[in-house]
Amino acid sequence: MNALAARRRHPAAITVLLLLGLILTGAAYSLLAPKQAQAALASEDQVAAGKSLFLANCASCHGLNAQGTLSGPSLIGVGAASVDFQVSTGRMPAAGTGVQVARGVAKFDEEATAAMAAYVASLGQGPAIPEEAVTSGQGADLARGGEIFRVNCAMCHNFAGAGGALTWGKYAPALKDVTGRQIYEAMVTGPANMPKFTDTNISPEDKNNVIGFLKAIETQPQQGGYHLGNLGPSSEGLFAWVFALGLLIGAAVWLGSKAA
Amino acid sequence: MSTAAAPRGAAPRGAAALRTDDPAVRPEPTGTVKKLGGLAGWVDDRTGVAKGAGHMLKKVFPDHWSFMLGEIAMYSMIICLLTGVFLTFWFVPSMGEVPYDGSYIPLQGVQMSEAYKTTLDISFDIRGGLLIRQIHHWAALMFVVAVMVHMFRVFFTGAFRKPREINWVIGTVLSLLSIVEGFAGYSLPDDLLSGTGIRAAEGFMQSIPIVGSYVAYFLFGGPFPGEAIIPRFYTAHVLIIPAILIGLFTAHLLLVMVHKHTQYPGPGRTNSNVVGFPLMPVYMAKAGGFFFIVFGAIALVSALFTINPIWAYGPYDPSPVTAGSQPDWYMLFADGGLRLLPGWLEIPIFKWTLSLNVAIGALLLIPVMYTLIGIYPFLEAWVTGDKREHHLLDRPRNAPVRTALGAAFIAEYFVLAMAGVNDILAIKFHLAINSITRALQLLFFVLPVIVFWVTKRLCLSLQRADRNLVLHGRETGNIYRSADGEFTEIHEPLDPYRRWTLVQHEVGTPLALGSTKDANGVESPLSKKARRRARWSQFYFRDSVAPVTPAELAAAHHHGEHDALPSAESATHVGPSEH
């Protein structure tokens, strides 16, 4: 105490105090300030690793600084969610250009995907990778999720998420075998022709309800027997003409050839 | 029985020999038969039904699998009637809104119409309900399929010719009613898909020039969707249309009885007989058994394959529409017609709109199509000038133009139906929906012409192949090498029974266009009509291939001799060659 008091008039005291104040404020800010994106927390190393992956695999279309070229759009501001969606569903890196890049096998593991996402997120503000709590579909209100799905999604993705056609060879893909996180990311980033559904359009809880509904109809037993692709009456008609009629004509031929 | 077993060699002698020609004494009926006979007698005494019933039971029907296609339709209809009664016990045709509290979890708490709710209850909470619903729907699809295939059979074999034109018209009306009945039933559950169908139907009504919106208001009892349409469809589906269907169907069957059944050509089959078996007991057993086969097959399909999963579609709500919205298959051609019509047919006239882009497909297509089908027998009779009765069927190849017209019609129908599923084709075959639609618009005009030409040529080729077969026999594949080193294939002549089937038909000749002027050189007022008819007759009979005549056959055998081997058994005529 005496030692501290003795040195309070030391010429360096004011500098030390200022420094201390700045550190405390900085620490408090970093603890209390709202987290905008995961990229804010991403380590320098991760961003650097992401950048080198980006330069090796993506820059040929998206440009060396992700500014976009004639063959690929700018990625500044698309956010980590967009990268995670495109790369984890195997759409990116694209094998070639076409009306729409199809889903495929993911070419990068989770760590590499996260690194690229961190790098792209570091370029500008965009939707972050969503938290598990709103993508698992746990505790979802299925009825509400179903209603939101029918009103907003079924017109392209079909009533059972079996997919549907759009103009000129574009299409809304089937929603089978996709993770809740990918569904959520698609809703917030609007890949290809899909519109964006921000938190003000459909709240995170309602997105979780939609995910819960999709998971429920995907995993529920097929109550009426095999669903014939969930394509509506067309596949039923084809089945009636080919298999049911074939069966009945077969029976008629058999009976017709039977001696009286 | 025991006397019949006596050995033939041992002839009875004496007085017994005089009784050998006596009819055998019938044994007295046993107890059950006697009782049944007594019951039949009791009924006959009070109704006089025995004579008619006996007449019916002795009716002879020819045997062929294609004659059972109509039976499939009849049995599917009966299955629909039986299962439909079950469904009415629980279905409530009301558009009143209620919250769902049944066992299908993804819809619990959703507001829906009572019609939809009770259909869900039938599917999930009534024992056996889903199976019966699926049997009802699959049987309905099979009914329309079987009606159409039955019509194909009747058309391509010329069974619609005199005296059966009226029955063809009745059948045409039945076919039209079957799709209307199907559409009404498909709409009843008030699910998202069928509601979209009703919405489309409302649009069709509105496209009627001038009165369209009034007609729609009248039928829906106000603006769409209102609360009236489901109860009204229900009345149509369970009362009005089935009543007409059953009435016409009975008339259809009675006329078959009156006309007697047609038969395929063959040895011993003429225009004035029917070769086959009597209804009782042969066809009672066969047809009765076939009913259970059809029921069994449809029940099997219904147990294994989902149809119309209304729980997956969700309740009807005018705002959402699902991708891949299609009607049941029998309405696809009408939907396809709409999808093919170009948008510029919507013509604004001052403040009104003439929606020809909808009206042509929705209001004209079905009446035009069914009118053409219905009047075909009369058109053909007018062109051919054939006023005789026909009870022997044509082999399709022997009526090339008719067969080609039928095939062209099917091709046109197929193009329209494919247009109705253009979005499914696009996604399943990774094609652009715009290109599919363009291609189908083109095919609508081109494909029937190509199919007509190809089918006609195929028929003519088949007829020529028949001629070859009759004239030169079957190529056996046995090659004979003569002493000179010449190789010859042995042709085995047809047996007379097979040959008869290939040569029995007659070939019409085109109407000759005589002089269009009368004796005084005055143009006949009828000549224009006659000339038109002659042109059609030319179109119908031109290129026809005549069957082999006995003279040709004899000449061919004569000619064929020098190829035939003197020792070969296959040669019809063995003798020294005159060449």
Side-chain angles (χ1 to χ4, degrees), chain B residues 91-148:
Chain B
F91 180 71
V92 179
S94 154
M95 293 172 94
E97 291 273 312
V98 284
Y100 180 65
D101 55 0
S103 19
Y104 185 66
I105 294 165
L107 287 172
Q108 276 172 1
V110 174
Q111 282 285 322
M112 54 182 63
S113 68
E114 251 187 297
Y116 184 68
K117 181 187 177 295
T118 49
T119 315
L120 282 178
D121 288 344
I122 289 171
S123 305
F124 294 115
D125 294 297
I126 308 292
R127 196 172 297 272
L130 182 55
L131 180 63
I132 299 288
R133 238 198 81 218
Q134 299 206 138
I135 292 178
H136 190 71
H137 206 132
W138 276 120
L141 289 198
M142 289 322 295
F143 176 48
V144 193
V145 169
V147 165
M148 194 177 255

Side-chain angles (χ1 to χ4, degrees), chain B residues 68 70-80 139 283 286-292 294-295 298:
Chain B
M68 293 161 114
E71 270 180 65
I72 298 179
M74 172 167 80
Y75 299 145
S76 310
M77 189 181 81
I78 293 171
I79 295 167
C80 279
Y283 279 98
K286 276 201 172 192
F290 195 46
F291 171 73
F292 290 106
V294 172
F295 206 152
I298 289 177

Side-chain angles (χ1 to χ4, degrees), chain B residues 56-94:
Chain B
M56 293 266 270
L57 292 178
K58 273 181 264 174
K59 278 271 178 197
V60 168
F61 286 91
D63 224 347
H64 195 271
W65 67 267
S66 69
F67 298 154
M68 293 161 114
L69 296 170
E71 270 180 65
I72 298 179
M74 172 167 80
Y75 299 145
S76 310
M77 189 181 81
I78 293 171
I79 295 167
C80 279
L81 289 172
L82 293 175
T83 50
V85 170
F86 177 93
L87 296 175
T88 58
F89 293 155
W90 287 281
F91 180 71
V92 179
S94 154

